[in-house]
Amino acid sequence: MASAPSGVRTVRGCCPLDCQDTCSWVAHVDDGRVVRVEGVKEHPFTRGSLCAKVNDYQERTYAEDRLLHPLRRAGSKGEGVFERISWDEALSVIAEEFSAIADEHGAEALVPINYLGSMGVVQRRALVRIFNALGASTFHGSICGAAGNQLEAEGHPRGFDPEEFAESRYILLWGTNLLTTSHHHWHFVDAARKQHGARLVCIDPIRTRTAKACDEHISLRPGSDAVLAAGMARVMLEEGIADLSFARNATSDFDAFRESVEPWSPDRVEDVTDVPAATVVRLAREFAAARPAALRCGVGPQQTVHGESFLRALSALAILGGHWQLAGGGLFIETNPTLHELAATRPDLRPTPGRSLDLARLGEHLTSETLDPPVMGLMVWGTNPAVVLPDAGTVRRGLARENLFTVVIEHFMTDTARYADVVLPGTTQLEHFDIVGAWGHHYISLNEAAVSPLGEARSHGRIMRELADRLGLDHAALRESDEEIAASALPEDVTLDTLRGSDWTKIGPARPRFDERPAVQISGEIPLPPLPDTPTMLQLLTPKSHYFMNSSFANMPRQRKGMTRPTLELHPDDAEQRSVRDGDLVEIRNQGGTVRVHAHITDTIHQGAAALAGKWWNDPDGAAVNVLVPPRWSPGGQPAYNDTFVEVVRIP
């Protein structure tokens, strides 16, 4: 790390965003202002670099449109008209409204909604303490990882220390664009190629940055992933190249699995997936022969009504190859350090177990006429549900209810904040203390405040303490400092002093061993790709973008410039059939609504599919695409974002 200029002090911290990398950074502070952030070279994962999303994170803190004072709605919901009020007024209004709702409808009519806008223990978890103490409804589920959660619940391992990828001899990157979504993982993948000659194969309907950097890109029909996995498994079994001894010991239904994949000959797989039969056979042979091989799966292909079936098929492949027996082998979806985050919410404060609502079905809950009690009070932080949730039109209709009292804690006036009755200004990562885990490696990171909060912004821990006082909640847990809240999540052998000594610590689960875990089930449905309502519809994919973190940064000038504008990628044949030329304005539409974007004609997208990257806000130049996503979920609750079909029409 370069030395700081004279007069500039440096403060260690970390990125808080919903990314598998959780980078360690250092903030350079000159005369009380952060002038730049840079990755920490000494960190084993960050290695000195930050991504295109956050490498100027200080601009988020000092943005002209940053929210710095409490606001109260002064217009219609969604209109975005507010008046400035004091913190004293804001807290009094919230306490009065929440108390009145609890008195009239019961505490379960109050609901907290948060996600991974900050993965910090304090910023994400502290406010839940209030709702636990009140006996409010809780929420469960996941916006993007429910299928993986279900796989883990069934006993399948879903990850290992990603630094082991450097020991792999063959890596299938299945539906993941590492160089855009978690580029620090690429270091270890690329190390396998450089050190061991590992072959890198990307399976994806889009020729992404990562696909271009791999040794081979295999484009397949969206939603046909489980069929391809079944075809590979059949070849491995038919040719006797599977590790039958390991597979039989690791699974409880091996014979049933063999029967389930038997119908999937390479020729039939080609008919469904568009992957040539010869390629299916070669993939199976290469994957089986490597010692070890790894499957690195992304979030995208899980986001269908058959998400669990797809992941179970990948887990079966990793087991069938026996790859879990060696470092660098197996299936990687995600992994976490040992960190007891839920303890920081203090579930023991709850007077009763209470009702739990599915986060991904928020629109359904807010508009339900039968939910008892109805949702009457909402507090939202760390997420932008009007943009990121499926069936976003219904979410917006629910947020527009005049009898719904909504509080949003935010940095900016997001689409969701525009529906709030009260908006509270939260601190950014440069202005508060926190500790952050990860969902892609085994490091716990410390974040120190680099500067004092701007304006009247407050940490979520402080908001929790002050609102609890207004609500008359006097439990000691509701008076704890931000540092005490953070420390409550740490494992026994890690302290804040330990973290302050190095700014991070590595502590994670041991590598999965199948001789120490119950046998798992791998047989089941091999789902076919979804079908459109009409032959003229295209399957709409909404991949993560290079410059936005979900909907974060969609308002930031540099990141917007990097994205240019909302753009729909179309295959040349699909464009020709619709008389669409490159750069044309087109309308994307289905029963959920309409979105207008510009078209880009490219052969990097699989024919029959269209892709709109990034979670744009619904501003004049934006495109809140999730209004097109139907209310469909997998059995485990995974929103089926990629089971969306649309008409694409050129606008003259």
Side-chain angles (χ1 to χ4, degrees):
M1 183 172 63
S3 60
S6 177
V8 176
R9 66 185 179 91
T10 58
V11 181
R12 288 290 184 96
C14 62
C15 178
L17 299 177
D18 182 10
C19 170
Q20 291 193 300
D21 290 10
T22 308
C23 291
S24 181
W25 69 32
V26 60
H28 293 252
V29 184
D30 187 2
D31 193 25
R33 183 183 178 93
V34 177
V35 293
R36 67 187 177 100
V37 294
E38 64 176 337
V40 176
K41 293 180 180 178
E42 300 87 355
H43 192 281
F45 226 82
T46 305
R47 297 171 176 258
S49 66
L50 298 176
C51 72
K53 304 169 182 65
V54 304
N55 59 19
D56 63 346
Y57 186 88
Q58 74 280 359
E59 298 298 328
R60 182 176 180 86
T61 297
Y62 299 110
E64 291 184 1
D65 55 343
R66 170 91 186 273
L67 297 175
L68 296 176
H69 308 283
L71 302 171
R72 177 167 52 198
R73 180 166 63 92
S76 300
K77 289 198 172 187
E79 187 180 0
V81 178
F82 291 86
E83 61 182 5
R84 179 176 169 178
I85 59 175
S86 68
W87 268 100
D88 184 66
E89 290 176 284
L91 293 170
S92 294
V93 168
I94 296 168
E96 290 170 6
E97 291 287 346
F98 279 6
S99 297
I101 289 168
D103 289 344
E104 181 176 353
H105 301 278
E108 288 185 339
L110 299 171
V111 181
I113 294 293
N114 75 83
Y115 204 61
L116 296 173
S118 171
M119 297 203 303
V121 167
V122 179
Q123 293 300 101
R124 186 182 181 196
R125 305 294 189 179
L127 284 159
V128 180
R129 293 186 176 197
I130 284 181
F131 293 92
N132 280 337
L134 290 171
S137 292
T138 60
F139 66 88
H140 63 271
S142 173
I143 295 175
C144 61
N149 295 341
Q150 180 61 35
L151 189 78
E152 185 175 54
E154 294 175 10
H156 294 252
R158 59 173 179 170
F160 49 84
D161 184 345
E163 294 173 58
E164 288 186 16
F165 274 110
E167 300 303 318
S168 301
R169 285 0 185 225
Y170 188 86
I171 302 175
L172 284 177
L173 298 170
W174 204 309
T176 184
N177 185 9
L178 294 184
L179 290 175
T180 280
T181 61
S182 48
H183 76 91
H184 297 84
H185 280 240
W186 180 260
H187 171 84
F188 302 101
V189 170
D190 196 40
R193 177 161 59 184
K194 292 175 178 176
Q195 296 172 15
H196 304 296
R199 182 169 175 78
L200 310 183
V201 179
C202 182
I203 300 173
D204 200 301
I206 304 172
R207 191 161 70 247
T208 62
R209 291 171 185 260
T210 302
K212 294 173 184 176
C214 286
D215 299 303
E216 182 180 9
H217 170 226
I218 296 172
S219 181
L220 80 171
R221 181 180 173 187
S224 67
D225 306 80
V227 171
L228 177 56
M232 291 173 61
R234 174 185 153 144
V235 172
M236 292 169 67
L237 291 167
E238 192 173 66
E239 296 191 358
I241 54 177
D243 189 333
L244 296 183
S245 176
F246 179 79
R248 286 189 178 278
N249 288 330
T251 64
S252 61
D253 58 346
F254 181 80
D255 291 333
F257 172 75
R258 183 193 289 271
E259 290 180 8
S260 70
V261 301
E262 177 59 31
W264 292 105
S265 67
D267 287 337
R268 188 182 177 202
V269 171
E270 178 177 349
D271 290 341
V272 174
T273 67
D274 297 334
V275 177
T279 301
V280 177
V281 174
R282 177 172 55 80
L283 273 179
R285 291 171 178 170
E286 292 174 350
F287 181 74
R291 283 292 177 266
L295 282 161
R296 174 65 161 86
C297 176
V299 169
Q302 305 176 40
Q303 296 183 338
T304 79
V305 294
H306 300 296
E308 292 87 0
S309 295
F310 160 64
L311 290 183
R312 202 174 296 113
L314 288 198
S315 183
L317 272 184
I319 291 170
L320 202 61
H323 298 302
W324 281 108
Q325 298 169 96
L326 296 172
L331 171 64
F332 186 99
I333 303 170
E334 62 179 271
T335 191
N336 311 88
T338 303
L339 187 63
H340 310 306
E341 287 194 48
L342 288 179
T345 68
R346 293 300 300 266
D348 58 296
L349 297 177
R350 298 194 64 82
T352 60
R355 175 177 70 179
S356 182
L357 302 175
D358 188 342
L359 169 64
R361 296 175 182 259
L362 179 62
E364 176 184 314
H365 298 320
L366 293 180
T367 58
S368 173
E369 296 182 358
T370 59
L371 191 65
D372 186 22
V375 177
M376 302 299 295
L378 199 65
M379 180 177 278
V380 182
W381 68 94
T383 186
N384 187 8
V387 171
V388 302
L389 285 181
D391 193 21
T394 301
V395 174
R396 290 166 186 253
R397 287 193 294 275
L399 291 171
R401 281 173 38 206
E402 283 296 331
N403 65 344
L404 174 68
F405 178 73
T406 301
V407 180
V408 174
I409 306 174
E410 255 298 353
H411 301 150
F412 300 98
M413 187 57 66
T414 63
D415 284 15
T416 301
R418 294 171 68 89
Y419 288 92
D421 294 283
V422 175
V423 178
L424 301 178
T427 45
T428 69
Q429 190 77 341
L430 296 175
E431 302 165 297
H432 57 238
F433 169 87
D434 217 332
I435 61 171
V436 184
W439 59 283
H441 58 62
H442 291 165
Y443 293 90
I444 302 171
S445 303
L446 181 80
N447 184 81
E448 298 280 15
V451 292
S452 299
L454 272 64
E456 297 180 5
R458 297 184 180 178
S459 78
H460 294 181
R462 181 177 176 184
I463 295 173
M464 180 271 291
R465 291 185 289 275
E466 295 181 352
L467 182 55
D469 183 63
R470 295 301 180 96
L471 287 165
L473 302 172
D474 60 358
H475 194 283
L478 301 174
R479 296 193 296 271
E480 287 187 348
S481 68
D482 287 10
E483 292 195 359
E484 289 173 313
I485 296 168
S488 69
L490 291 172
E492 290 184 3
D493 50 350
V494 178
T495 66
L496 292 182
D497 288 340
T498 302
L499 287 174
R500 285 199 165 105
S502 64
D503 302 317
W504 63 80
T505 189
K506 184 178 183 180
I507 178 168
R511 180 173 178 79
R513 289 185 53 177
F514 279 78
D515 58 351
E516 297 177 347
R517 56 194 307 132
V520 296
Q521 294 184 357
I522 57 174
S523 65
E525 176 190 13
I526 307 298
L528 294 172
L531 295 174
D533 294 334
T534 67
T536 58
M537 285 183 143
L538 297 175
Q539 189 167 354
L540 180 65
L541 307 179
T542 54
K544 292 182 181 293
S545 69
H546 200 69
Y547 291 94
F548 298 169
M549 175 58 69
N550 300 320
S551 75
S552 294
F553 302 107
N555 65 312
M556 298 300 295
R558 180 184 66 80
Q559 286 84 345
R560 286 179 71 99
K561 183 178 179 180
M563 292 294 293
T564 307
R565 61 189 180 187
T567 301
L568 184 72
E569 294 188 338
L570 291 172
H571 188 276
D573 292 345
D574 293 322
E576 182 178 3
Q577 292 171 15
R578 292 159 180 79
S579 300
V580 174
R581 296 166 298 184
D582 196 69
D584 279 350
L585 186 65
V586 297
E587 187 172 84
I588 315 171
R589 62 193 184 200
N590 63 14
Q591 292 182 343
T594 62
V595 173
R596 290 191 171 193
V597 298
H598 287 83
H600 174 54
I601 314 306
T602 174
D603 63 1
T604 61
I605 182 79
H606 200 85
Q607 186 175 0
L612 177 59
K615 294 293 185 287
W616 296 81
W617 298 2
N618 199 32
D619 55 44
D621 299 316
V625 69
N626 280 358
V627 298
L628 304 172
V629 176
R632 301 182 68 199
W633 299 269
S634 73
Q638 172 61 56
Y641 294 103
N642 289 328
D643 289 351
T644 301
F645 288 89
V646 295
E647 300 284 359
V648 177
V649 180
R650 177 176 175 270
I651 299 174

